[in-house]
Amino acid sequence: MSDQSTSSPSLSASSPPSSVPPSPELGKLNISNEVSEEDKQEAARLKAAANKAFTSHDFNDAAKLYSEAIEKNPNEPTLWCNRAYARMKLEEYGYALTDASRVGFLCYKWDIAHSSIKFFSRATCYMQVMKPQSAVSDFKKVLALEPHNETVRGQMVSTQKLIRKIEFEKAIEVEGEKDPVIRCREIIQEGGCDVDTNYTGPQLPSEDQKFYMTQEFLQEMIEWFKQGKTLPKRYAWEIVMGAHEQFIKEDSLVNVDIPEGVTCDVIGDVHGQFYDVLHLFSLTGPPSEKHYLLMNGDLVDRGSWSIEVILLAFSYKCGWLYRHIQVSRTDNHSGLYPKYMYINRGNHEAKDMNLPLSTLVSATKPPPSRDNAILSPQGLKRFFVVHGGLFSKDGVTLEDIRKIDRLLWTDPQEAPGRGPSKRGVGIAFGPDVTKRWCTLNGVAGVIRSHEVRQNGYEIEHDGLCTTVFSAPNYVDQSGNKGAFIRIDSAGNREYTQFEASPHPPMKPMAYVQGGLGSLMM
């Protein structure tokens, strides 16, 4: 939880974001050629402390200490380079690009090795902000300095392959191409996706040649995944298409009312960390008529069990509620937990995935005390849950959101108004933006994810914006806790933190050969 007051320069509400955000500390610096010996020694001391924090995976503290060292000696290129690496670990690629460019300004003093570090770090940032062509350019500069660096050469080749793949996919796109769900059904009908007769794993039940979900299959599937085994393609297709049937019934803004005696858990990014998700679900409990789950995007990527995570979440969403007595599948039971399991799309889900944009979680009982909360016209607490954050303009209403089909990749900032994103993509929004939006829409607070928080969650913007992140020890190196938020029928919030769980010896992004995978660790 953060109560820190802002010390950054103010930005007006109409401040336009730039494409490459400046480092927030740049405006404070007095760059000169003259640095006292005393300041150089203090910068060296701070650098050593920052290096220790970095080695301990405390990247927030490392970035802060490097910044303090730079204030003492802004002419030392290694400080900028080290801070760029710390910010890359924090996924603040926009800020890291600025730091790497500053290194370039100073690197006339540098030798070949230091120049290589500068170009390599900048290439890494370009990859993360989806500018692979710029990354290739910097990889080539590294190889011009170090022609025998086969690791960098392999990453450059992988990136070039990625560029060709993107260009090829664009070239073969056909307007009006058949819906993939329809095509999958046709392939199944043609017998092109039958379950292999040698398969000995969990059996997805069927009736009248139509598969459906049961609690028994779901539990057996979890145990099967824990053994490192996979489902047949046919089962995976059925789960995905079953979830699709539920998602297409939902608006971009899903309404979830919490009746008396019911709770709703909001879960942040889990990023393919399957064993942490299992531990998380042991804490939340499964979705049920008395307990709803809302996963707020970024279920996949980074961790190496994304398929297992997404199939588990979709299984909760999709399957038919099958009872062995007196209930026919032809009755009005549209899913195992479709009205108790909700999923928002995050930026790591593909752009054409049919997931809702956001969810409005609404209490059904008045709060015991108002506590200056912003309430709905009915005097109830409501929480707007979205993966990224708020909008690039004022005046957007809940009704507007219901009508749109787009995503919000923004982050909160301490300064008022709007500014460039530290990621290099999207914008940042200040506490005044949050307050205006909540007041306009009668919303007690924004709950978003999208960013690592060391304690698993952080309450910002005078209590109106909460970030929740549910992937503990993110990519096996951040050392952060995970958390989830429980909301009851009166709109009270309870925060639960949890630690990372052991998992089999597989590195994050093990599914990627070279390129982004090797740049992560």
Side-chain angles (χ1 to χ4, degrees), residues 251-254 296 343-346 355-359 384-388 391 401-402 404-409:
D251 295 329
S252 290
L253 175 63
V254 177
N296 195 28
I343 304 174
N344 289 339
R345 192 194 134 185
L355 298 179
L357 167 66
S358 53
T359 304
F384 178 66
V385 184
V386 67
H387 181 72
F391 306 86
I401 299 168
R402 293 184 211 280
I404 62 177
D405 186 21
R406 60 190 174 98
L407 295 167
L408 313 173
W409 307 141

Side-chain angles (χ1 to χ4, degrees), residues 476-488:
D476 286 355
Q477 60 180 307
S478 294
N480 60 291
K481 295 179 180 178
F484 64 91
I485 305 172
R486 177 161 294 176
I487 306 173
D488 67 15

